[in-house]
Amino acid sequence: MSSLDVARIRKDFPILNERVNGRPLVFLDSAASSQKPVQVLAAMEHIYRATYANVHRGVYWNSEQSTELYDDARCKIAQFIGAPSPENVIFVRNATEGLNLVAYSYGRHFLKAGDEVLLTEFEHHANFVPWHVLAKERGVKLKFIPMTQQGTLDLSKLDELLTPQVKLVTFAQVSNVLGTITDPRSIIDRAHAIGAKVIVDGCQSTPHMPINVQAMDCDFYAFSGHKMLGPTGIGILYGKRELLEAMPPFMTGGDMIGSVSFEDVTWADVPVKFEAGTPAFVEAIGLGAAVDYLSAIGMEAVRTHEKETVAYAIERMSEVPGATIIGPTDPEIRGGALTFTIKDIHPHDLGTLLDREGVAIRAGHHCAQPLHIRLGLKATARASFYIYTEQREIDALIEAIYKAKHTLRK
Amino acid sequence: MEDLYRDNLLDHYENPRHHGGLENATISHEESNPLCGDRIRVDIKLSSDGTQIEDVSFSGDGCIISQASASMLMEEVAGKPITDIQKLERQDVLDMVGVQLTAARVKCAMLGLKVLKTGLYQYMVDHHHS
Ligand SMILES: Cc1ncc(COP(=O)(O)O)c(C=O)c1O
C-alpha cells in the first residue's frame, strides 16, 4: 500500500534495474543524492544533441533557445518553492555554494565583531563551516540551539538565545542525520521579532515535502538540485528581494555586470548579479524538468509516501536486536531517512557487508561531526528513501542486517 | 567476495595480538581517521641501540578492517629492525589483510601502518638520526 504508484515511478529510473555485486540494486542513499528519471536525462540530452549554445550571449536562434529554456526553468523553480518572482531565485552549484554566498556576501557586509549567529547542533558542515570561518575572520560569535533527548530542537530557551546581538539565525528544516522536521515558523517569527534574518537550509526538505518560502517567511533558503531528481552542479539560493538588492556580488566576472569601463563597473540586476560566468544552464533546465516531474506527482503525495516508508522502516528496525534508531521515531516529525547503529558493529563494516547484498546505505558522520560529538557516536548508518523506494527494499535492508550480524557473529 | 570478513580477519579483531599498550614505550603515537573516527595508538619499545623494535603494542577503536589490520601489522613488525619497517608499503598491509577492499576501506586498513611509521619517523627526527 502506498500513496504513490511506486511501480510506475520506478519505470522512469533505469538505474533501479541495474545489479550490484550480482544482486538487484537496493538504493537507500537518496538523502546523499537521488537517482534521476528519464525525463530529466532526456531534457538535458535534447539540448546537447539538438539546440545547444551559450545563454545570454548570442542573437541567433540556438542561443535564444537556451536563454528561454533557462529562464523557464527559473520560473518553474520559483513557483515550486512559492517564491514571489523568478528574480528571487539565484542559480548556484549546490546548497553549499548558496550558504557560502550568504555568509560571504551578506555576512561580511552586514555583520561586525560582537554580532552573533545562531545555529543548531545538528547542522550539516555546509551550514556550519562558512559560519565558523566568518566567526574567526570577523569576531562574530556562534551560538547553538540545543536538542532534546529525542533529537528535536529544544526551543524552550530560544527567547533567551535570541539576544539583540543575534543578527542571523540558520537551521536545517530537516536534519540529514536525525531526520528531524522543524516547523520553520516556530523559529522564524521569534527571530524576526528581534530583527534577525533567517536562513533555512532546505536540502533535505525541498525534495520531500511542499515548500512555500513566502508562507515560511524565511529571508534566505538554500537547496541542491541533485537531491531532488535533478543533475549535479545546480542548486538554488532564494532570497528576499530587498536583501538581494542590498548585498554585494559574491563572485565577479562575465554576465553579472551592468557595464564595465576602464574606471568603473556596475552590477547587473538581481539575480544575475550573483551569477558570474557561464551558468550550468543545461543542469538548470534539467532541474526544471525534475521540478515538473515532482509537481506532476504532487509534493503532498511524496511526503505521505515517505511518511509511510519511514514508519515501516522504524517498525522493522525496532525488531532488530541491538539496533538503535537515532533521532525521532514519530514519522510525523521525521523525514525519509532512518539513521541507526547496530550494537558492536561499526557502521563502515555494516555498510560494506550490506553492499555485498546490493544494499546501498550511507555510513559515517554524514558531514555532521559536531552532532556526532554531541551524540557521543563516531559514526552512524543511514538508510534514506524517496519516491521510488518500496517496502520490499526495507525488507531487503533488514534481511541484510541480520545476515551481517550472522557473518560477524554479533 | 564471501570471504571479506573471513575468519582470520575476525579472529584478529576479536583477539587482537600485541594489544593494550606498553608501559615502558620508547615511542607512542596516535592518530585517527576523521572520516569514520577509527583511532589507533601504537606503543613501541626500541632496543637499547635504537635499531630494533623490541616490543610493540596497539590500542584503539574502530571498524574491523582498521583494528584487525593493525593487529596483523603488530605481529609482522615485532622484533624487526627499524630499516624493515621503513620498507613496509601499502601493498604489504593489503597482502596481510588478504581480501579485496574498496578504496574507502583501504584507508581503514592503512591507519595502523600510518601511525606506526609516523611515530617512528617523528622519533628519528627528534633524535637526529635518519
Ligand atoms: C542538510 C544538508 N545541508 C547541506 C547539504 C550540502 O549539500 P551539497 O553538498 O549538495 O551542497 C546537505 C547534503 O548532504 C544536507 O543534507
Side-chain angles (χ1 to χ4, degrees):
Chain A
M1 256 313 292
S2 171
S3 53
L4 292 184
D5 186 352
V6 178
R8 168 86 261 302
I9 287 171
R10 288 178 70 88
K11 293 203 171 79
D12 292 329
F13 292 82
I15 198 171
L16 299 177
N17 297 323
E18 295 289 322
R19 296 177 80 82
V20 169
N21 291 324
R23 294 171 183 269
L25 169 63
V26 175
F27 183 74
L28 299 177
D29 196 20
S30 291
S33 202
S34 79
Q35 300 300 347
K36 324 299 173 195
V38 286
Q39 289 82 347
V40 169
L41 307 180
M44 294 172 68
E45 191 178 0
H46 178 72
I47 297 170
Y48 283 128
R49 282 181 180 276
T51 70
Y52 184 85
N54 206 342
V55 285
H56 296 319
R57 298 192 179 166
V59 294
Y60 52 94
W61 184 85
N62 298 67
S63 178
E64 284 178 352
Q65 179 71 9
S66 292
T67 307
E68 197 179 308
L69 289 172
Y70 183 48
D71 292 345
D72 267 1
R74 200 192 298 271
C75 290
K76 284 176 192 172
I77 293 159
Q79 208 169 22
F80 187 71
I81 60 167
S85 140
E87 273 127 44
N88 298 89
V89 169
I90 302 165
F91 282 121
V92 289
R93 276 191 307 135
N94 45 37
T96 302
E97 186 174 306
L99 294 164
N100 272 279
L101 195 160
V102 181
Y104 276 87
S105 172
Y106 188 88
R108 278 161 185 72
H109 199 69
F110 290 103
L111 268 62
K112 52 181 196 316
D115 285 346
E116 297 176 350
V117 179
L118 183 60
L119 292 77
T120 81
E121 293 180 330
F122 58 51
E123 290 316 301
H124 188 279
H125 293 166
N127 199 23
F128 202 103
V129 182
W131 306 113
H132 241 301
V133 173
L134 179 72
K136 279 234 170 88
E137 206 180 292
R138 290 293 160 99
V140 165
K141 192 179 155 198
L142 305 186
K143 297 198 300 197
F144 298 91
I145 303 174
M147 289 183 318
T148 64
Q149 282 294 331
Q150 295 77 45
T152 56
L153 289 179
D154 178 1
L155 298 182
S156 64
K157 306 228 163 54
L158 183 59
D159 287 327
E160 275 165 55
L161 287 164
L162 286 170
T163 51
Q165 291 75 31
V166 174
K167 294 291 157 29
L168 273 175
V169 178
T170 182
F171 62 94
Q173 190 176 1
V174 175
S175 158
N176 66 312
V177 180
L178 303 170
T180 314
I181 302 175
T182 300
D183 169 16
R185 289 299 296 254
S186 65
I187 296 175
I188 292 175
D189 290 351
R190 287 154 81 178
H192 281 169
I194 62 142
K197 302 294 181 224
V198 183
I199 308 158
V200 176
D201 175 353
C203 255
Q204 299 294 345
S205 46
T206 320
H208 304 289
M209 59 185 68
I211 295 299
N212 188 308
V213 289
Q214 284 188 89
M216 197 186 291
D217 199 26
C218 55
D219 298 287
F220 297 100
Y221 189 88
F223 59 99
S224 292
H226 67 89
K227 293 180 198 281
M228 49 185 289
L229 312 181
T232 54
I234 193 75
I236 300 294
L237 176 70
Y238 158 86
K240 280 188 179 162
R241 184 66 184 257
E242 62 275 18
L243 298 174
L244 297 180
E245 293 290 350
M247 285 156 60
F250 172 40
M251 280 189 269
T252 56
D255 275 344
M256 53 73 66
I257 44 91
S259 66
V260 183
S261 68
F262 285 105
E263 294 78 29
D264 204 11
V265 182
T266 62
W267 309 133
D269 290 338
V270 169
V272 180
K273 176 169 85 175
F274 295 104
E275 297 176 351
T278 296
F281 65 92
V282 181
E283 285 75 8
I285 294 162
L287 180 55
V291 160
D292 284 342
Y293 191 95
L294 288 170
S295 302
I297 296 174
M299 292 308 291
E300 284 291 355
V302 171
R303 171 67 190 131
T304 306
H305 168 69
E306 285 184 28
K307 211 187 294 179
E308 290 163 359
T309 309
V310 84
Y312 183 67
I314 289 169
E315 185 190 317
R316 292 296 323 267
M317 191 64 75
S318 307
E319 295 162 6
V320 178
T324 304
I325 293 172
I326 315 292
T329 49
D330 174 3
E332 290 300 324
I333 55 162
R334 177 139 203 157
L338 191 66
T339 301
F340 60 96
T341 56
I342 303 288
K343 190 168 179 295
D344 296 331
I345 303 185
H346 191 284
H348 274 179
D349 293 320
L350 186 67
T352 296
L353 283 164
L354 264 49
D355 179 48
R356 306 279 133 182
E357 305 299 314
V359 178
I361 61 156
R362 180 88 187 264
H365 54 56
H366 320 292
C367 298
Q369 275 182 313
L371 172 62
H372 281 79
I373 293 169
R374 172 64 76 243
L375 297 172
L377 295 167
K378 294 269 166 43
T380 51
R382 180 186 71 191
S384 57
F385 320 121
Y386 208 9
I387 52 174
Y388 37 69
T389 307
E390 297 179 303
Q391 281 201 353
R392 153 190 88 69
E393 294 180 294
I394 313 266
D395 296 335
L397 165 72
I398 300 294
E399 201 177 307
I401 291 173
Y402 276 114
K403 199 162 167 191
K405 283 165 66 93
H406 179 76
T407 305
L408 300 180
R409 307 192 280 254
K410 299 293 179 199
Chain B
M1 284 281 175
E2 298 318 313
D3 61 359
L4 175 64
Y5 287 93
R6 64 186 185 183
D7 286 348
N8 186 31
L9 206 68
L10 279 182
D11 183 45
H12 270 274
Y13 179 71
E14 281 163 4
N15 311 296
R17 330 289 202 261
H18 295 273
H19 182 260
L22 294 178
E23 296 244 314
N24 48 356
T26 327
I27 304 170
S28 290
H29 185 64
E30 176 176 320
E31 280 184 48
S32 50
N33 180 346
L35 276 182
C36 48
D38 291 345
R39 184 185 62 87
I40 285 175
R41 171 196 162 101
V42 174
D43 290 338
I44 305 166
K45 168 111 179 62
L46 292 182
S47 58
S48 46
D49 65 356
T51 61
Q52 196 102 6
I53 293 193
E54 216 168 77
D55 200 3
V56 64
S57 178
F58 84 104
S59 42
D61 46 72
C63 67
I64 293 173
I65 306 289
S66 70
Q67 304 300 308
S69 61
S71 168
M72 291 171 174
L73 181 69
M74 295 301 109
E75 258 188 345
E76 175 72 22
V77 302
K80 292 268 166 70
I82 287 185
T83 46
D84 279 13
I85 316 302
Q86 286 172 294
K87 285 190 214 121
L88 276 178
E89 301 267 6
R90 169 193 171 93
Q91 191 57 46
D92 299 314
V93 175
L94 292 179
D95 291 346
M96 286 174 215
V97 175
V99 296
Q100 199 68 36
L101 296 176
T102 56
R105 305 308 306 277
V106 168
K107 277 212 190 88
C108 305
M110 291 305 143
L111 184 60
L113 181 63
K114 182 158 172 256
V115 176
L116 176 71
K117 278 192 155 183
T118 310
L120 268 178
Y121 282 125
Q122 275 178 3
Y123 175 85
M124 288 158 80
V125 170
D126 291 347
H127 293 77
H128 305 291
H129 42 95
S130 49

